[in-house]
Amino acid sequence: MKKTMIAASLLLLLVPLTTLTTILASTSPDSVRVRDGCFDVAIYPSTIPEGTPSIRVTGTDTCFPPGSQIGSAVKPIGVCDATQPNIIGPVYTLTDASSKFALDLPTSTLTPTSYCVKTWDIHYNSNNAAGVGYGVHTLTVTPGTPPPSGACLAASIYPTTITEGTSSIEVRGQDTCDPASTQIGVSIRPSGDCYSGTIFSSVWAETDASLKFDVNVPTSALSAGSYCVHAATVGGTIYSVDLTLTVTGGTPPPPSGVCFEVSIYPSTVTEGTEHIMVSGTNNCDPPGSQVGVAVYLEGACLTTPLQTPIFVVTDSASKFSIPFPTSTLGAGSYCVGAWGGSGSPPGSGNDKKPLTVTTGTPPPAGGFDFTLAFSPSTRSVTAGGAANFPILVTFSDPSYSTTTINVAGVSGLGAGMNYQIISTPPALSISTSPSTPTGTYTITLTGSAMGVTRHASAVLTVQGAQQAFDFSIGISPLDQIVNTGGSTTCTVTVNLVSGTTQSVALTVPDAPSGVTVTFSTPSGSPTFTSTLTISASQSASPGKYAVTVTGIGGGKTHTLPVALIIEASPDFQVEVDPPSQSVPQGQNAKYVVHVAGSNGFNSQVSLTVDGLPAGVNGVFDVPSSSPDFTTTLTLTIPSNSPTGSFTLTITGSGGGTSRVANAVLMVNPTAQTQSPTQTQTQTQTQATTQPGGGTSSANDLLGMIQQNSLLVIGILAIVIVLVGVLALRARKPSSAPTPPTQAQVSPFTCSACGTQNPVGNDFCANCGRRLQ
């Protein structure tokens, strides 16, 4: 095929050059054209003061499937044909899923006079082919001041004329007087009494983000006559608009969804044309049902076919499309009929369209075909910008180069994207918004002509606009409980919110006294995580605190508080009674040990004793238990045990904690019975000079005095008596000397058990009680 660039054949349909032989919009009278009830259009308002920014064009096109393109333009009054230049437009849009459309025509440049507003679907051509539609309305511009921006309520109804029993009409409009989500009340009242008459039907609508509303109003109870459809805002300043609805007698249309429709393209061909495209929707049967298609003589449609019917199966949306052969048809008028089911008409539903075959040169052998392509097919754009993709069209034969390529749709657009077909040179322009998500999008353009549909794909990469660096902090869990002497941890996550990552440092500037905090990762580039360890010393005061995790980096500071509860640690204490006691060799000693818990301590505590003299055995009658409890430590002291003072360490261990208590054990020598001579000898021995020429040490003397206080008093008394006697003798004549008196020392008697103890014992050798 020879590649040919069609410079201006792709407006939205694509718009052809004036030299093209196939023209999108053709000459037509200044009236509304409705073909088989499938095309309806309205404008609002139809009279405006000069300077008004725009008018609203709304309608429904069921001549073709949803997603078909609609064009609208302002032309001179009385000459609405396609050869006349447009004063404004065209402006294009697509029908929605319900085959409805709405667009705004700019009117601010129009001067006071009358104009023609022409609206058409993309399949309209100069032959006024059946199954397509257009609408023509008169727009009057008057001198005067335009309404202030936003000070109006616009609405339209569809259809404006219905038969009795019709279930509902649709009321659509826009309230630029109020913010989005404003309620609109719509009611049907008697004609001429739009404000106080009986309300036959009423509904509420709410404007969307673009301030528009769309609502169905029940009409099944209306009898033939004329009615007022009244729409008004609710609350604040009241704006309203009144529209006229006509109800006629007759059979109401079938319920929504009970229908069968068909369309053909093209509807006029020359003799020898290989085929036409027959497409439609069968809502009478479920998806996957058969549809029959045949050609008939005009006036005998759906009776006796001229050719054997061809059958096709509907897709998941109940639609069908099939090339239908026409090469054997001579010049004349025909009817193409389609019906639901595998048998003969009328089937579950049916529809028909006229076909005209004219004389002339048939298309080239091999049939019509074309291809679409983008060059280049890849573009990148920053969110909020636009990208253009030049379109190349290649035809199967140069003789087809004047054929109009109709744009059936553009798919693959992301959120916030819109498209426009540029005519010269042909290109697809894709615009994005700042909110369009970044990523790669595959955009597909679908074009059709003479029953042939082709596609072209392009790749658009949307890049995010550069944003300033920012981050956020998350902590899990946010509530922490720690015991004094213990620690707890939580996970801190620093997330990148926007921009290029930068280093963020973590701190806790307000930790309470006795509390230390550490981060496993004190700084990093988001997104990163760090473990926060909170440690409370034994000196930390129990209570509730708020510690603030602070992140600083890239000129940003973010904080997040952590609820910290410090509780006193479970603990226990060990006490010993008595704290000190003396026991002679060969006797037993007993200590009472009390273990008391605090702050809910309930672990098992085991007791041990250290510091015992050699040979001494200690036994607890309750060696371990859960506080509070009391036990007795019994010490068995052998007769040969070392004597002296010993510090005993009693240790309690449990729950990971150890506590100690000290006690003193004094082991005394075993007492022996002595004669007076032994006592005197002992006394003399204690005063004997020690080897080396010295006497007993001061410590030994002091100990002897402390242990024999009565003896010392007795000796002092004897010394005083002797001093007195000597003094008297010094005054008397000398006489024969008196022999010296020998001091007698008596043993101590224990006041508790009556045992006689030798001089020098501090404790009773029998019961261990201290001697006085």
Side-chain angles (χ1 to χ4, degrees):
M1 293 188 295
K2 181 180 179 181
K3 294 184 177 180
T4 305
M5 172 68 79
I6 303 302
S9 63
L10 295 169
L11 260 175
L12 187 59
L13 339 173
L14 307 166
V15 177
L17 295 172
T18 55
T19 58
L20 299 182
T21 58
T22 304
I23 307 298
L24 174 66
S26 64
T27 305
S28 60
D30 291 349
S31 61
V32 176
R33 175 177 181 268
V34 178
R35 184 70 180 185
D36 289 339
C38 65
F39 191 87
D40 183 84
V41 66
I43 66 172
Y44 181 86
S46 58
T47 300
I48 58 173
E50 61 180 334
T52 298
S54 64
I55 61 172
R56 187 77 169 167
V57 180
T58 61
T60 302
D61 176 19
T62 58
C63 306
F64 291 95
S68 297
Q69 286 185 321
I70 302 295
S72 186
V74 177
K75 294 175 173 288
I77 190 71
V79 283
C80 264
D81 58 71
T83 61
Q84 296 297 323
N86 296 328
I87 298 175
I88 293 174
V91 175
Y92 294 95
T93 189
L94 297 176
T95 57
D96 60 19
S98 302
S99 295
K100 295 178 173 56
F101 62 89
L103 57 85
D104 294 315
L105 272 177
T107 56
S108 59
T109 60
L110 298 180
T111 57
T113 188
S114 294
Y115 300 87
C116 167
V117 177
K118 186 169 185 177
T119 307
W120 64 92
D121 63 37
I122 62 171
H123 299 284
Y124 177 74
N125 58 46
S126 60
N127 297 312
N128 287 344
V132 296
Y134 69 87
V136 177
H137 292 78
T138 298
L139 172 65
T140 302
V141 180
T142 61
T145 303
S149 176
C152 60
L153 174 69
S156 62
I157 62 174
Y158 176 81
T160 57
T161 299
I162 59 174
T163 56
E164 290 178 302
T166 299
S167 60
S168 64
I169 60 171
E170 183 179 19
V171 179
R172 289 179 288 178
Q174 186 174 26
D175 174 21
T176 57
C177 319
D178 303 295
S181 300
T182 296
Q183 280 197 319
I184 306 294
V186 181
S187 61
I188 299 179
R189 302 170 185 260
S191 178
D193 194 3
C194 285
Y195 294 88
S196 59
T198 300
I199 298 176
F200 298 109
S201 180
S202 65
V203 295
W204 294 98
E206 188 174 275
T207 57
D208 59 19
S210 60
L211 308 181
K212 297 174 183 177
F213 62 93
D214 190 338
V215 65
N216 291 320
V217 184
T219 56
S220 58
L222 300 179
S223 57
S226 183
Y227 298 86
C228 171
V229 178
H230 178 74
T233 58
V234 178
T237 303
I238 304 300
Y239 302 93
S240 64
V241 61
D242 299 321
L243 307 165
T244 299
L245 170 67
T246 301
V247 180
T248 62
T251 303
S256 175
V258 182
C259 60
F260 188 102
E261 60 179 358
V262 67
S263 64
I264 64 174
Y265 182 85
S267 58
T268 299
V269 297
T270 56
E271 291 179 300
T273 299
E274 290 185 357
H275 65 266
I276 61 173
M277 290 300 298
V278 180
S279 58
T281 303
N282 177 16
N283 285 327
C284 304
D285 301 305
S289 298
Q290 282 194 321
V291 171
V293 181
V295 64
Y296 305 86
L297 290 174
E298 184 182 29
C301 211
L302 298 175
T303 56
T304 303
L306 300 176
Q307 299 174 356
T308 302
I310 297 176
F311 290 89
V312 64
V313 175
T314 58
D315 61 17
S316 59
S318 296
K319 299 184 182 301
F320 62 90
S321 181
I322 186 174
F324 188 82
T326 55
S327 59
T328 61
L329 298 179
S333 296
Y334 300 89
C335 166
V336 176
W339 62 94
S342 58
S344 301
S348 57
N350 59 74
D351 194 9
K352 57 188 177 182
K353 291 293 184 287
L355 171 66
T356 301
V357 179
T358 62
T359 58
T361 303
F368 170 80
D369 200 359
F370 71 97
T371 61
L372 293 175
F374 293 112
S375 180
S377 60
T378 59
R379 293 285 194 189
S380 295
V381 65
T382 300
N388 290 344
F389 294 91
I391 302 173
L392 296 178
V393 181
T394 304
F395 291 97
S396 60
D397 189 274
S399 62
Y400 293 117
S401 60
T402 58
T403 303
T404 298
I405 306 299
N406 301 307
V407 174
V410 175
S411 61
L413 300 178
M417 289 186 184
N418 290 293
Y419 77 90
Q420 180 183 4
I421 301 296
I422 300 174
S423 59
T424 308
L428 172 65
S429 177
I430 304 295
S431 63
T432 65
S433 71
S435 62
T436 297
T438 59
T440 300
Y441 299 84
T442 300
I443 310 298
T444 301
L445 170 72
T446 301
S448 63
M450 296 178 62
V452 178
T453 299
R454 295 291 180 259
H455 309 278
S457 296
V459 175
L460 177 64
T461 300
V462 179
Q463 301 170 341
Q466 186 64 35
Q467 294 179 306
F469 168 73
D470 201 358
F471 66 94
S472 65
I473 297 177
I475 300 176
S476 179
L478 278 171
D479 298 325
Q480 296 290 321
I481 299 176
V482 63
N483 293 325
T484 54
S487 64
T488 183
T489 62
C490 58
T491 300
V492 180
T493 303
V494 183
N495 297 296
L496 179 65
V497 174
S498 61
T500 302
T501 185
Q502 300 185 40
S503 180
V504 173
L506 297 174
T507 61
V508 177
D510 55 355
S513 177
V515 173
T516 59
V517 295
T518 58
F519 290 94
S520 62
T521 305
S523 64
S525 298
T527 297
F528 71 93
T529 60
S530 179
T531 299
L532 170 61
T533 301
I534 303 174
S535 302
S537 66
Q538 291 291 353
S539 62
S541 299
K544 295 182 180 179
Y545 302 90
V547 294
T548 304
V549 176
T550 301
I552 301 176
K556 299 288 185 179
T557 299
H558 294 288
T559 61
L560 191 62
V562 175
L564 176 65
I565 298 176
I566 300 177
E567 296 180 343
S569 299
D571 202 356
F572 66 94
Q573 293 78 38
V574 178
E575 297 178 351
V576 182
D577 184 43
S580 175
Q581 61 176 302
S582 297
V583 182
Q585 294 170 315
Q587 301 296 317
N588 293 338
K590 296 182 182 293
Y591 293 87
V592 176
V593 180
H594 181 68
V595 180
S598 60
N599 303 321
F601 186 91
N602 58 2
S603 297
Q604 193 88 352
V605 175
S606 299
L607 297 172
T608 60
V609 58
D610 296 304
L612 295 171
V616 176
N617 182 38
V619 177
F620 295 95
D621 62 351
V622 181
S624 65
S625 185
S626 297
D628 295 350
F629 69 94
T630 300
T631 181
T632 299
L633 171 62
T634 302
L635 303 181
T636 303
I637 305 170
S639 58
N640 61 347
S641 170
T643 60
S645 178
F646 301 92
T647 300
L648 307 183
T649 301
I650 299 173
T651 303
S653 301
T657 303
S658 294
R659 294 290 181 261
V660 299
N662 295 324
V664 175
L665 171 66
M666 298 183 66
V667 179
N668 297 316
T670 302
Q672 295 180 358
T673 304
Q674 297 176 332
S675 64
T677 304
Q678 291 174 324
T679 302
Q680 180 182 8
T681 304
Q682 181 180 19
T683 303
Q684 292 174 349
T685 302
Q686 291 175 347
T688 303
T689 302
Q690 299 294 320
T695 61
S696 297
S697 66
N699 289 336
D700 291 340
L701 179 59
L702 179 59
M704 182 186 69
I705 294 172
Q706 292 175 342
Q707 296 176 11
N708 300 280
S709 56
L710 296 177
L711 178 61
V712 172
I713 295 173
I715 293 173
L716 289 176
I718 293 172
V719 171
I720 294 173
V721 171
L722 290 176
V723 171
V725 171
L726 290 176
L728 291 174
R729 292 188 63 181
R731 295 180 182 181
K732 296 179 180 181
S734 60
S735 60
T738 303
T741 302
Q742 182 79 30
Q744 299 297 324
V745 179
S746 298
F748 292 133
T749 300
C750 176
S751 61
C753 65
T755 302
Q756 297 296 317
N757 292 279
V759 175
N761 277 15
D762 287 336
F763 301 91
C764 178
N766 179 47
C767 67
R769 189 176 184 85
R770 179 180 288 276
L771 299 175
Q772 302 299 325

PDB file of all heavy atoms in Angstrom, residues 48-53 112 142-149:
ATOM      1  N   ILE A  48     -29.670  34.794  24.726  1.00  0.00           N
ATOM      2  CA  ILE A  48     -28.671  35.272  25.688  1.00  0.00           C
ATOM      3  C   ILE A  48     -28.298  36.712  25.370  1.00  0.00           C
ATOM      4  O   ILE A  48     -28.385  37.140  24.221  1.00  0.00           O
ATOM      5  CB  ILE A  48     -27.399  34.399  25.651  1.00  0.00           C
ATOM      6  CG1 ILE A  48     -26.789  34.394  24.245  1.00  0.00           C
ATOM      7  CG2 ILE A  48     -27.667  33.001  26.116  1.00  0.00           C
ATOM      8  CD1 ILE A  48     -25.440  33.700  24.151  1.00  0.00           C
ATOM      9  N   PRO A  49     -27.886  37.493  26.381  1.00  0.00           N
ATOM     10  CA  PRO A  49     -27.338  38.820  26.108  1.00  0.00           C
ATOM     11  C   PRO A  49     -25.893  38.676  25.623  1.00  0.00           C
ATOM     12  O   PRO A  49     -25.210  37.697  25.940  1.00  0.00           O
ATOM     13  CB  PRO A  49     -27.405  39.515  27.462  1.00  0.00           C
ATOM     14  CG  PRO A  49     -27.360  38.416  28.456  1.00  0.00           C
ATOM     15  CD  PRO A  49     -28.019  37.236  27.812  1.00  0.00           C
ATOM     16  N   GLU A  50     -25.435  39.628  24.830  1.00  0.00           N
ATOM     17  CA  GLU A  50     -24.072  39.552  24.312  1.00  0.00           C
ATOM     18  C   GLU A  50     -23.070  39.550  25.486  1.00  0.00           C
ATOM     19  O   GLU A  50     -23.306  40.166  26.524  1.00  0.00           O
ATOM     20  CB  GLU A  50     -23.795  40.707  23.368  1.00  0.00           C
ATOM     21  CG  GLU A  50     -23.911  42.106  23.994  1.00  0.00           C
ATOM     22  CD  GLU A  50     -23.628  43.207  22.988  1.00  0.00           C
ATOM     23  OE1 GLU A  50     -22.896  42.935  22.030  1.00  0.00           O
ATOM     24  OE2 GLU A  50     -24.140  44.328  23.159  1.00  0.00           O
ATOM     25  N   GLY A  51     -21.990  38.810  25.294  1.00  0.00           N
ATOM     26  CA  GLY A  51     -20.985  38.689  26.348  1.00  0.00           C
ATOM     27  C   GLY A  51     -21.174  37.462  27.226  1.00  0.00           C
ATOM     28  O   GLY A  51     -20.301  37.151  28.031  1.00  0.00           O
ATOM     29  N   THR A  52     -22.321  36.769  27.049  1.00  0.00           N
ATOM     30  CA  THR A  52     -22.531  35.542  27.834  1.00  0.00           C
ATOM     31  C   THR A  52     -21.426  34.545  27.482  1.00  0.00           C
ATOM     32  O   THR A  52     -21.165  34.302  26.304  1.00  0.00           O
ATOM     33  CB  THR A  52     -23.903  34.939  27.520  1.00  0.00           C
ATOM     34  OG1 THR A  52     -24.926  35.876  27.887  1.00  0.00           O
ATOM     35  CG2 THR A  52     -24.109  33.634  28.291  1.00  0.00           C
ATOM     36  N   PRO A  53     -20.756  33.967  28.494  1.00  0.00           N
ATOM     37  CA  PRO A  53     -19.583  33.140  28.197  1.00  0.00           C
ATOM     38  C   PRO A  53     -19.879  31.902  27.360  1.00  0.00           C
ATOM     39  O   PRO A  53     -19.097  31.549  26.495  1.00  0.00           O
ATOM     40  CB  PRO A  53     -19.051  32.737  29.576  1.00  0.00           C
ATOM     41  CG  PRO A  53     -19.876  33.435  30.579  1.00  0.00           C
ATOM     42  CD  PRO A  53     -20.987  34.144  29.921  1.00  0.00           C
ATOM     43  N   PRO A 112     -25.011  40.861  18.792  1.00  0.00           N
ATOM     44  CA  PRO A 112     -26.471  40.686  18.772  1.00  0.00           C
ATOM     45  C   PRO A 112     -27.013  40.359  17.383  1.00  0.00           C
ATOM     46  O   PRO A 112     -26.884  41.162  16.452  1.00  0.00           O
ATOM     47  CB  PRO A 112     -26.993  42.030  19.291  1.00  0.00           C
ATOM     48  CG  PRO A 112     -25.881  42.575  20.111  1.00  0.00           C
ATOM     49  CD  PRO A 112     -24.628  42.146  19.417  1.00  0.00           C
ATOM     50  N   THR A 142     -28.944  39.021  22.196  1.00  0.00           N
ATOM     51  CA  THR A 142     -29.550  40.340  22.317  1.00  0.00           C
ATOM     52  C   THR A 142     -28.569  41.328  22.932  1.00  0.00           C
ATOM     53  O   THR A 142     -27.629  40.922  23.640  1.00  0.00           O
ATOM     54  CB  THR A 142     -30.801  40.270  23.201  1.00  0.00           C
ATOM     55  OG1 THR A 142     -30.407  39.820  24.508  1.00  0.00           O
ATOM     56  CG2 THR A 142     -31.804  39.287  22.642  1.00  0.00           C
ATOM     57  N   PRO A 143     -28.761  42.606  22.706  1.00  0.00           N
ATOM     58  CA  PRO A 143     -27.909  43.591  23.390  1.00  0.00           C
ATOM     59  C   PRO A 143     -28.203  43.556  24.893  1.00  0.00           C
ATOM     60  O   PRO A 143     -29.273  43.152  25.325  1.00  0.00           O
ATOM     61  CB  PRO A 143     -28.344  44.926  22.780  1.00  0.00           C
ATOM     62  CG  PRO A 143     -29.073  44.563  21.533  1.00  0.00           C
ATOM     63  CD  PRO A 143     -29.708  43.234  21.783  1.00  0.00           C
ATOM     64  N   GLY A 144     -27.259  43.962  25.657  1.00  0.00           N
ATOM     65  CA  GLY A 144     -27.473  43.999  27.101  1.00  0.00           C
ATOM     66  C   GLY A 144     -26.259  43.520  27.857  1.00  0.00           C
ATOM     67  O   GLY A 144     -25.236  43.156  27.272  1.00  0.00           O
ATOM     68  N   THR A 145     -26.396  43.526  29.169  1.00  0.00           N
ATOM     69  CA  THR A 145     -25.292  43.104  30.048  1.00  0.00           C
ATOM     70  C   THR A 145     -25.423  41.623  30.340  1.00  0.00           C
ATOM     71  O   THR A 145     -26.491  41.159  30.745  1.00  0.00           O
ATOM     72  CB  THR A 145     -25.336  43.892  31.367  1.00  0.00           C
ATOM     73  OG1 THR A 145     -25.272  45.285  31.057  1.00  0.00           O
ATOM     74  CG2 THR A 145     -24.164  43.495  32.258  1.00  0.00           C
ATOM     75  N   PRO A 146     -24.345  40.860  30.146  1.00  0.00           N
ATOM     76  CA  PRO A 146     -24.433  39.410  30.427  1.00  0.00           C
ATOM     77  C   PRO A 146     -24.586  39.166  31.921  1.00  0.00           C
ATOM     78  O   PRO A 146     -24.204  40.004  32.739  1.00  0.00           O
ATOM     79  CB  PRO A 146     -23.091  38.874  29.915  1.00  0.00           C
ATOM     80  CG  PRO A 146     -22.166  40.039  30.010  1.00  0.00           C
ATOM     81  CD  PRO A 146     -23.012  41.255  29.701  1.00  0.00           C
ATOM     82  N   PRO A 147     -25.138  38.057  32.296  1.00  0.00           N
ATOM     83  CA  PRO A 147     -25.283  37.741  33.732  1.00  0.00           C
ATOM     84  C   PRO A 147     -23.900  37.566  34.365  1.00  0.00           C
ATOM     85  O   PRO A 147     -22.955  37.149  33.702  1.00  0.00           O
ATOM     86  CB  PRO A 147     -26.059  36.422  33.724  1.00  0.00           C
ATOM     87  CG  PRO A 147     -25.754  35.805  32.395  1.00  0.00           C
ATOM     88  CD  PRO A 147     -25.607  36.954  31.441  1.00  0.00           C
ATOM     89  N   PRO A 148     -23.784  37.928  35.642  1.00  0.00           N
ATOM     90  CA  PRO A 148     -22.483  37.712  36.300  1.00  0.00           C
ATOM     91  C   PRO A 148     -22.131  36.233  36.334  1.00  0.00           C
ATOM     92  O   PRO A 148     -22.999  35.373  36.339  1.00  0.00           O
ATOM     93  CB  PRO A 148     -22.717  38.262  37.714  1.00  0.00           C
ATOM     94  CG  PRO A 148     -24.198  38.189  37.904  1.00  0.00           C
ATOM     95  CD  PRO A 148     -24.793  38.450  36.552  1.00  0.00           C
ATOM     96  N   SER A 149     -20.821  35.965  36.333  1.00  0.00           N
ATOM     97  CA  SER A 149     -20.356  34.589  36.341  1.00  0.00           C
ATOM     98  C   SER A 149     -20.922  33.844  37.548  1.00  0.00           C
ATOM     99  O   SER A 149     -20.822  34.310  38.673  1.00  0.00           O
ATOM    100  CB  SER A 149     -18.827  34.558  36.378  1.00  0.00           C
ATOM    101  OG  SER A 149     -18.375  33.238  36.485  1.00  0.00           O
TER     102      SER A 149
END
